[in-house]
Amino acid sequence: MSTHADAHDHHHHEPGLQHQFENMGQQEESVSIGMWMFLVQEIMFFGGLFTAYMVFRWRYPMAFAEGSNHLDAFWGGLNTIVLIVSSLTMALTVYYAQKGMRNMQVIMIALTMLFGTVFLGVKAIEYTDKYNNGLIPVAGWNKKSTGAEVAEKAQAFAFPWEIRTEAADAGHGEKKPYINPRGDFQWNYGHKLVEQAEKGGYLTADEKIHYYSNGVFDPFKFQEKVRLFYFIYFVMTGLHALHMVVGLLLMAWLLWKAWLGTFSALYYSPVEMSGLYWHFVDIVWIFLFPLLYLLGRHFIH
Amino acid sequence: MQNADAFNPSLMREPKDSYLTNGYSIKSWLLTKDHKRIALMYLISISVFFLMGGLYAAAIRLELLTPNTDLLQSATYNKAFTQHGILMIFFFLIPSIPATLGNFLLPLMIGAKDLALPRINLLSLYLYWIGGILTLYALMQGGVDTGWTFYTPYSTTFSNSYVMAVGLGIFINGFSSILTGLNFIVTIHTMRAPGMTWFRLPLFVWAHYATSLVMILGTPVVAITVLLLAIERVVRVGIFDPAIGGDPILFQHLFWFYSHPAVYIMILPGMGVISEVISNFSRKKIFGYEFIAFSSIAIAVFGFLVWGHHMFVSGQSIYAGLVFSFLTMVVAVPSAIKVFNWTATMYKGSISYDTPMLYAIGFLGLFLVGGLTGLFLGSVGLTVHLTDTYFVVAHFHYVMVGGQVIAYLAGIHYWWPKMTGKMYSEFWGKVSAMLVFIGFNLTFFPQFILGYQGMPRRYASYPAEFQVLNIFSTAGASVLGVGLLMPVVYLTHSIFAGKPAGDNPWMLPGLEWRCQSPPTTYNFEEQPVVTWEAYEFGEENGLDIEEARRSAGSPVTV
Amino acid sequence: MQTDWIPLFPESASSFSWQIDALYFYLIGISVAFMIPIVAAIFWFVVRYREREKFATPEEIHGSIVLETVWSIIPFIISMTIFLGGAVVYYTQYRMPDDAMQVYVVGKQWMWKIQHETGQREINQLHVPVNTKVKLTMTTEDVLHDFSIPAFRTKADVVPGRYTYLWFEATKPGTYHLFCAEYCGLNHSGMIGSVVVLEQDDFERWLQGNAASQTPVEQGRDLFENKLGCASCHAGGSGQRGAVLENIYGKEVKFVGGGTAIVNDEYLRNSILNPSSQVVEGYQPIMPTFKGQVTEEQLMALVAYIKSLSGVDASATAPSAPAAPAPAPANNMGSNSNQGGR
């Protein structure tokens, strides 16, 4: 019997058409459904983490609020804006690809990559800050220091319109010596929110048991709950950052292909699919930001 | 040359060119995009894992011959049942039918040249191999002893075994599963030949569609769970260890959220095979096509709502228990509907006793027992007594082995002539089917009784009064083992010395039978145009029955 | 409900076990009622409709909405009855009564520690009076375990960090299996014991001390093999984790970290109360202390039994070696003589 090539030659004139497809429309539809299915499973993947977050926030809201207060909402907010803008440049990439305008495509992809890199850079700043202040939840993974150096101000940002009270300012602006010989997780910022909750009577049943030993507030037990928050914070943002890195690699490939002029009105599906992925990574961050960074802000009365 | 009328290949012939002969180098196999080659490589790989899982099973049953831990020490026994579970579930049962039969047949059944995303298919295979090798490496180094369920805090804090490595192996393997499911969904949506509408699809395809939904939605959850488990083990901080405020029950919820739907990943493709075999070997349209199709989807959807029935005694609230029990009863109904429909299909059919049909009939009986005992376990009051006893072990082996493995064997035997172009020995096929059926029942039925008596599972030693039933069970296991090994021998033999099967040895209407056996690399000479409904036997659908009856017995080489 | 006549059927010894059995028989009945017609139909069809002509084409039957509806609704209704039956029984099993006798249970790898409200402690055994509601408040020190009493048809997991509960009312005096039914590691199958149901006055007597009069050696053996679970580590055959105790009386032993001692009564007593203070070379320091769980009388019985394993009379004494780090024999167990000598 003859080889398969003869029977299928007539398909190869369409640019980028894979051999298993009859026509471009089928290929594009397939790739599109494939990408959506992939994104659905990514949602389920992050879903497990969101579930864990929900369970522990439900149980220990004050510990979560305290931990959240010491994430820098300025950097987080900046990252949110950066990603939203990068989604805009991504959408424009798709637009210009459709139009076949090569130079604009390349510029837009480059901008998208720039914003993605800025995002990762900011994350590096944030993670370093946590490292310097003993907020990485794994023993031994924080900066080891005997206190000889005075630590930088522990970062905690309050929006200008928030009423600053003593509770909000706890631990802010003061220079405290950072003593952490073994690089342990340390929580040195008190528990003003717990005290407020105690007075206001809105501690949860779990909190009433698990923050206290023999009726007295136990800072170590509380620290362990805050450490849970930071664990979830690092796993969620870390996994997200990993997806961001993959996104940048995808963009690099796309940049190369766009530079070669591969995309036009006839064939721009890879750009669209990459766009879907990029938007997805953006949306995950849109959920992460308020859940992780903006907790307990309204408790600052 | 191939018959000009591509839809009438009724002559038994041995084709010179096929997907098997299209390139002999290692590279042509390892870098193939051909779904059929990928399916074959999966077939060999999962058979290897099945054999290893079976060896662990043999060790377990031998140890349980006596009440004391005399053959294996407790530590070794704990590893044996853990590894039996892990290898069988993650590396055999979950991929088995979808990765071998699904990969091979889906494009053929819908009239396509290949799956929609062949390179993703190859990636699935590689991920399976990498996950498998990592797990095997961990097993060689000392293995795991946590039970395949990895309950915390034992697995995070107390076990002295290779939990992280095995966890990562399972994590990687999970993505193999996800990508297979993704590929199937896309393929079924976009690659159907003209005229192949949704309700003309073979039920095997519907079954795989439902399975793929579960694979895509459920597997990522176990992936993140296992990842968190591995992290917790390595850095000693996490969300499952109560010593730091974590919750061991959270692990159970996250784990079972996938692992319950996982059992539907295992059984739905098996049900798809059974639909095909019963209908085709009764030469009768399946009874209640739409009902079977929709019940597959219903099982997939409802399967996501019942995970708590694995946790009735774990400390979840009474009310949660009641809700999960109710939903478990609901999910049983679609399976019952299928069993009735299959039985009704045989009414007024023309039933041949070929090996695949014997397996399918065995499936009906065994799956019935397995499913009914599922009701025992879904009924909360009764399950408190039965949880964590051998009753559960017997139940899941009835549905997984008596159900899924038998369906898998039915499928392998049914489509063997299509995949290899050769026929195996019917005599030996029938003998092993009998041995499997008898051995299986002898192995697992006594375990229902043991379970009700209270013998807990995962016990290396047990009170002496349980010994007699354990001896029966082990005796049955030896028969079952022989029955399961025999196909390896006669199927392999058929590849070299079997009779050429011809393109359509049983004169069946499915699209997969209207191409060469074994198929060429691109399956069909020209894209088929489908103008008939599913399961329509008879001459009007292009099957030259008279010709087939005449020429049966005279092979032609082309 | 009388079920003793059924072969291969477990004993039924609690107030609600008949309900579980009834549910079980109901389900068996339904299963048989479904299986018989279906299996019969399969056999009948397979024979009656076997192929008579190769490649025949029987008449097509697409389906039947009526049949589909019938065999969807009826199984659904039946499954709902099963659900309701199960729910009622479950409620009975897991709704804790208010007026029950309280017992506390702590699981740990690999034993059950039980304490009665009156202070009585037990290991791997639970004595209860007949016809009295008993409520167990349970937790675990380490991993998940499960307190399972098949004869009472009930069980519940024990979870670290919280309390779980179980209740029953025993109806027949006797000794029933107690199993751990949640895999917990190495000696999961060894974490077994018994629930001993006694008549009311026998139970009173038990609460006050020894139930039967035994010689010290017999009492010691009973404690060693049954009540305290020593045998699980010290009589497990080759590869056991605990020191071999046969024929050691009067011998010299070497400790991890140096030091020796002659095995005598003091040494044995100290090993039980303060095992980590003197670990013999070649063994791990994993023996838990039994301080607070054995009376002096029981200690003497244990020592007598262990001596008997060396063929030595209970009354004999071995000389003490000068270097032995033996604590002063205190008469009250509360003395915290923490020698720490290694």
Side-chain angles (χ1 to χ4, degrees):
Chain A
M1 195 163 89
S2 62
T3 60
H4 52 276
D6 318 348
H8 302 272
D9 261 344
H10 59 281
H11 285 152
H12 289 171
H13 64 271
E14 283 190 81
L17 183 69
Q18 302 273 321
H19 73 276
Q20 69 269 21
F21 296 115
E22 296 297 319
N23 56 60
M24 216 44 204
Q26 194 184 34
Q27 175 167 318
E28 287 177 2
E29 197 191 348
S30 300
V31 173
S32 178
I33 297 180
M35 180 49 89
W36 279 107
M37 287 295 114
F38 178 71
L39 295 181
V40 163
Q41 73 85 28
E42 287 283 320
I43 292 175
M44 298 305 291
F45 193 57
F46 275 95
L49 289 174
F50 279 101
T51 307
Y53 170 91
M54 274 195 305
V55 167
F56 290 112
R57 176 172 163 181
W58 175 264
R59 286 192 196 159
Y60 309 120
M62 291 305 127
F64 268 49
E66 283 279 7
S68 172
N69 278 350
H70 286 269
L71 291 179
D72 202 330
F74 170 74
W75 290 123
L78 180 71
N79 261 354
T80 309
I81 296 176
V82 162
L83 273 192
I84 292 179
V85 175
S86 78
S87 267
L88 172 64
T89 54
M90 188 68 227
L92 286 172
T93 309
V94 179
Y95 173 75
Y96 287 122
Q98 261 179 297
K99 288 259 186 280
M101 294 164 67
R102 194 198 84 159
N103 290 338
M104 285 311 292
Q105 279 175 63
V106 170
I107 291 173
M108 285 299 143
I109 297 178
L111 279 177
T112 309
M113 288 178 75
L114 175 69
F115 289 125
T117 314
V118 166
F119 178 90
L120 289 177
V122 169
K123 280 246 80 60
I125 295 175
E126 287 186 274
Y127 281 10
T128 312
D129 174 64
K130 301 293 163 293
Y131 167 79
N132 286 332
N133 287 291
L135 289 176
I136 296 184
V138 184
W141 286 19
N142 290 288
K143 179 156 128 182
K144 297 190 170 74
S145 144
T146 50
E149 329 95 69
V150 172
E152 291 176 34
K153 158 175 126 50
Q155 301 204 1
F157 180 75
F159 294 107
W161 54 86
E162 281 177 298
I163 302 162
R164 299 194 79 104
T165 62
E166 218 184 80
D169 277 343
H172 303 190
E174 314 158 14
K175 287 205 183 285
K176 279 196 189 142
Y178 172 68
I179 301 170
N180 197 349
R182 285 191 317 256
D184 291 331
F185 176 80
Q186 285 185 339
W187 181 251
N188 298 319
Y189 307 106
H191 56 282
K192 285 272 178 7
L193 291 179
V194 178
E195 285 168 5
Q196 274 186 315
E198 240 180 323
K199 269 202 236 78
Y202 51 82
L203 284 176
T204 66
D206 278 290
E207 287 183 309
K208 288 193 188 122
I209 302 171
H210 291 286
Y211 292 167
Y212 300 87
S213 288
N214 298 323
V216 174
F217 181 82
D218 186 337
F220 179 73
K221 278 171 106 174
F222 182 68
Q223 179 182 286
E224 290 302 283
K225 305 301 175 283
V226 180
R227 195 208 315 221
L228 262 179
F229 171 80
Y230 277 97
F231 177 72
I232 292 179
Y233 165 79
F234 274 102
V235 175
M236 290 183 100
T237 57
L239 198 61
H240 178 262
L242 199 64
H243 281 76
M244 202 65 209
V245 170
V246 170
L248 284 175
L249 291 172
L250 191 60
M251 289 298 124
W253 171 80
L254 205 67
L255 185 66
W256 171 56
K257 283 284 180 186
W259 178 263
L260 292 176
T262 320
F263 306 120
S264 65
L266 289 174
Y267 178 61
Y268 63 94
S269 157
V271 188
E272 209 171 15
M273 295 305 114
S274 303
L276 275 178
Y277 178 79
W278 193 266
H279 294 314
F280 169 76
V281 176
D282 181 18
I283 286 193
V284 172
W285 179 260
I286 304 291
F287 278 90
L288 285 184
F289 174 63
L291 289 178
L292 292 172
Y293 287 80
L294 302 182
L295 289 184
R297 300 251 156 208
H298 70 282
F299 283 119
I300 305 174
H301 290 306
Chain B
M1 286 306 290
Q2 190 172 8
N3 227 332
D5 183 349
F7 291 162
N8 217 343
S10 56
L11 304 173
M12 280 203 304
R13 52 144 171 219
E14 233 176 315
K16 280 223 158 58
D17 293 310
S18 70
Y19 77 98
L20 291 167
T21 59
N22 190 7
Y24 288 104
S25 63
I26 302 257
K27 197 168 135 194
S28 71
W29 279 87
L30 290 182
L31 292 180
T32 184
K33 292 207 273 270
D34 184 356
H35 63 103
K36 301 180 288 297
R37 287 193 165 198
I38 294 176
L40 226 52
M41 290 190 277
Y42 262 116
L43 177 60
I44 297 171
S45 313
I46 64 170
S47 304
V48 170
F49 280 103
F50 184 63
L51 183 66
M52 289 192 284
L55 286 175
Y56 283 121
I60 293 172
R61 282 300 346 145
L62 284 173
E63 167 52 45
L64 290 177
L65 269 175
T66 62
N68 304 315
T69 52
D70 31 26
L71 181 66
L72 304 174
Q73 289 188 339
S74 290
T76 316
Y77 182 82
N78 294 340
K79 290 185 182 167
F81 71 70
T82 300
Q83 289 159 189
H84 168 72
I86 291 173
L87 290 179
M88 286 305 200
I89 291 179
F90 293 110
F91 295 96
F92 173 70
L93 284 169
I94 286 176
S96 61
I97 295 181
T100 57
L101 297 173
N103 262 330
F104 198 99
L105 294 162
L106 225 51
L108 293 175
M109 285 181 169
I110 63 177
K113 279 186 231 154
D114 203 319
L115 289 178
L117 306 166
R119 285 174 295 191
I120 299 278
N121 202 9
L122 189 63
L123 179 61
S124 279
L125 179 64
Y126 277 115
L127 289 174
Y128 176 79
W129 280 343
I130 294 171
I133 289 172
L134 184 54
T135 306
L136 284 179
Y137 168 75
L139 260 44
M140 296 304 136
Q141 290 294 100
V144 269
D145 68 345
T146 57
W148 82 273
T149 47
F150 292 108
Y151 274 11
T152 61
Y154 183 71
S155 59
T156 50
T157 320
F158 289 82
S159 170
N160 254 339
S161 59
Y162 287 80
V163 176
M164 193 197 82
V166 172
L168 283 180
I170 293 174
F171 179 81
I172 295 171
N173 186 44
F175 282 98
S176 164
S177 195
I178 291 172
L179 291 177
T180 299
L182 191 155
N183 220 339
F184 285 177
I185 298 255
V186 178
T187 305
I188 296 171
H189 273 280
T190 65
M191 305 286 284
R192 283 170 287 129
M196 179 56 87
T197 60
W198 282 91
F199 288 99
R200 286 179 178 168
L201 284 170
L203 288 167
F204 182 85
V205 179
W206 275 98
H208 278 77
Y209 189 84
T211 308
S212 302
L213 285 175
V214 183
M215 278 175 164
I216 292 179
L217 294 173
T219 318
V221 179
V222 80
I224 192 70
T225 308
V226 160
L227 191 63
L228 286 170
L229 182 70
I231 294 176
E232 182 150 341
R233 231 184 121 75
V234 169
V235 300
R236 297 279 179 227
V237 67
I239 57 174
F240 302 131
D241 189 342
I244 50 166
D247 192 342
I249 309 291
L250 178 62
F251 176 84
Q252 293 183 30
H253 279 292
L254 287 174
F255 179 82
W256 287 113
F257 187 81
Y258 163 73
S259 300
H260 185 78
V263 316
Y264 297 116
I265 295 179
M266 298 178 219
I267 199 66
L268 281 169
M271 290 173 161
V273 170
I274 298 302
S275 295
E276 295 296 317
V277 172
I278 291 195
S279 155
N280 282 294
F281 285 91
S282 310
R283 301 196 69 78
K284 211 167 137 279
K285 185 193 259 303
I286 197 99
F287 189 94
Y289 174 98
E290 296 86 351
F291 281 86
I292 297 192
F294 286 130
S295 58
S296 301
I297 305 288
I299 292 173
V301 169
F302 277 97
F304 274 101
L305 304 177
V306 296
W307 77 89
H309 70 219
H310 298 270
M311 298 165 60
F312 282 136
V313 300
S314 300
Q316 67 185 4
S317 77
I318 303 185
Y319 304 104
L322 292 175
V323 168
F324 282 116
S325 172
F326 174 78
L327 290 167
T328 304
M329 295 299 154
V330 170
V331 84
V333 174
S335 301
I337 294 177
K338 288 191 182 208
V339 172
F340 298 136
N341 277 294
W342 289 321
T343 310
T345 304
M346 294 195 288
Y347 176 70
K348 288 201 171 161
S350 168
I351 300 173
S352 61
Y353 298 156
D354 297 293
T355 305
M357 190 59 170
L358 290 182
Y359 276 118
I361 295 171
F363 174 95
L364 286 180
L366 298 177
F367 180 72
L368 198 53
V369 173
L372 287 168
T373 51
L375 289 177
F376 285 63
L377 292 167
S379 168
V380 255
L382 186 51
T383 207
V384 168
H385 176 57
L386 296 174
T387 297
D388 279 311
T389 66
Y390 262 83
F391 196 93
V392 180
V393 175
H395 159 73
F396 66 66
H397 281 93
Y398 262 84
V399 278
M400 294 208 275
V401 181
Q404 152 70 328
V405 174
I406 289 207
Y408 174 71
L409 288 171
I412 293 287
H413 285 78
Y414 175 36
W415 284 297
W416 190 259
K418 177 55 56 181
M419 295 195 285
T420 61
K422 301 287 171 75
M423 273 310 274
Y424 48 85
S425 156
E426 250 310 300
F427 172 74
W428 287 111
K430 291 192 164 83
V431 167
S432 1
M434 306 287 191
L435 285 179
V436 166
F437 186 82
I438 295 171
F440 174 82
N441 277 305
L442 193 52
T443 310
F444 291 104
F445 200 83
Q447 294 184 5
F448 284 124
I449 305 175
L450 277 172
Y452 202 78
Q453 288 182 330
M455 179 175 171
R457 51 186 290 207
R458 299 174 165 172
Y459 262 36
S461 62
Y462 53 81
E465 70 246 37
F466 296 139
Q467 185 174 21
V468 175
L469 289 172
N470 270 296
I471 293 180
F472 274 122
S473 184
T474 303
S478 12
V479 176
L480 179 62
V482 171
L484 289 171
L485 281 174
M486 285 172 70
V488 178
V489 176
Y490 66 75
L491 288 177
T492 313
H493 175 262
S494 77
I495 296 177
F496 303 106
K499 221 165 54 155
D503 296 348
N504 197 351
W506 293 296
M507 277 284 107
L508 300 171
L511 261 185
E512 77 269 25
W513 297 107
R514 298 174 192 247
C515 64
Q516 206 182 271
S517 292
T520 56
T521 301
Y522 290 101
N523 302 338
F524 299 96
E525 267 288 302
E526 298 164 3
Q527 186 177 52
V529 176
V530 177
T531 54
W532 55 91
E533 303 300 314
Y535 310 111
E536 289 195 336
F537 299 82
E539 311 253 320
E540 60 277 13
N541 299 307
L543 296 172
D544 198 344
I545 309 268
E546 284 310 315
E547 168 73 33
R549 286 195 188 118
R550 269 200 303 276
S551 66
S554 45
V556 174
T557 311
V558 287
Chain C
M1 187 165 65
Q2 281 291 5
T3 51
D4 332 347
W5 55 273
I6 306 176
L8 299 174
F9 203 74
E11 271 194 277
S12 164
S14 80
S15 60
F16 52 60
S17 51
W18 70 269
Q19 293 185 23
I20 288 92
D21 291 344
L23 196 50
Y24 185 56
F25 293 130
Y26 175 59
L27 272 158
I28 293 182
I30 293 181
S31 306
V32 169
F34 268 89
M35 286 213 67
I36 292 185
I38 296 178
V39 173
I42 294 174
F43 271 112
W44 171 244
F45 294 162
V46 159
V47 170
R48 166 83 177 77
Y49 300 111
R50 66 187 179 280
E51 87 174 335
R52 303 214 155 86
E53 186 197 16
K54 224 158 166 48
F55 310 140
T57 308
E59 190 199 316
E60 227 176 67
I61 304 179
H62 191 96
S64 155
I65 296 275
V66 173
L67 266 179
E68 299 281 0
T69 314
V70 166
W71 67 41
S72 303
I73 303 275
I74 295 186
F76 180 71
I77 293 177
I78 294 177
S79 69
M80 285 301 112
T81 63
I82 299 174
F83 162 67
L84 284 169
V88 166
V89 176
Y90 186 58
Y91 225 62
T92 312
Q93 282 166 315
Y94 272 3
R95 257 317 217 39
M96 299 297 135
D98 299 314
D99 54 338
M101 179 181 124
Q102 188 70 251
V103 175
Y104 300 96
V105 175
V106 174
K108 88 182 263 314
Q109 285 175 321
W110 289 281
M111 60 169 78
W112 293 105
K113 300 199 288 199
I114 292 156
Q115 186 173 27
H116 293 260
E117 254 186 332
T118 47
Q120 204 73 8
R121 288 174 189 262
E122 312 191 63
I123 290 193
N124 292 336
Q125 257 194 352
L126 169 61
H127 283 79
V128 292
V130 74
N131 295 325
T132 313
K133 293 200 184 85
V134 177
K135 176 180 162 189
L136 305 177
T137 302
M138 314 189 285
T139 185
T140 164
E141 286 179 17
D142 39 40
V143 298
L144 297 171
H145 301 276
D146 186 291
F147 199 86
S148 163
I149 314 163
F152 296 170
R153 310 285 191 272
T154 187
K155 60 162 68 76
D157 274 10
V158 292
V159 182
R162 48 178 279 209
Y163 290 121
T164 52
Y165 306 94
L166 201 55
W167 85 274
F168 58 82
E169 181 181 331
T171 52
K172 246 185 355 198
T175 305
Y176 307 104
H177 281 301
L178 163 64
F179 292 127
C180 171
E182 185 66 67
Y183 177 67
C184 52
L186 186 68
N187 212 10
H188 170 58
S189 4
M191 197 163 156
I192 64 179
S194 46
V195 175
V196 180
V197 180
L198 299 169
E199 295 288 356
Q200 193 61 41
D201 25 346
D202 286 327
F203 181 70
E204 299 292 331
R205 222 175 300 132
W206 175 83
L207 271 183
Q208 261 135 47
N210 245 338
S213 57
Q214 301 162 295
T215 67
V217 171
E218 282 167 9
Q219 189 188 0
R221 173 183 300 118
D222 189 29
L223 289 165
F224 187 88
E225 285 174 3
N226 304 323
K227 297 201 168 58
L228 294 174
C230 317
S232 69
C233 291
H234 285 284
S238 67
Q240 70 186 33
R241 269 151 311 147
V244 172
L245 297 176
E246 284 80 9
N247 297 317
I248 58 159
Y249 197 75
K251 304 269 187 321
E252 194 179 44
V253 287
K254 264 170 89 156
F255 298 132
V256 168
T260 60
I262 303 266
V263 175
N264 57 12
D265 294 30
E266 294 310 328
Y267 172 84
L268 290 173
R269 183 172 174 282
N270 194 47
S271 299
I272 300 171
L273 293 180
N274 207 352
S276 55
S277 69
Q278 47 185 55
V279 180
V280 173
E281 231 169 39
Y283 292 99
Q284 302 294 316
I286 53 173
M287 176 170 164
T289 170
F290 286 81
K291 188 181 286 189
Q293 291 170 44
V294 284
T295 62
E296 281 302 327
E297 190 204 346
Q298 289 173 322
L299 275 170
M300 289 197 286
L302 279 167
V303 169
Y305 170 68
I306 297 172
K307 280 161 85 166
S308 75
L309 294 177
S310 304
V312 168
D313 200 286
S315 54
T317 38
S320 37
N331 272 328
N332 48 327
M333 304 179 304
S335 77
N336 218 340
S337 44
N338 198 355
Q339 297 293 302
R342 284 273 198 108

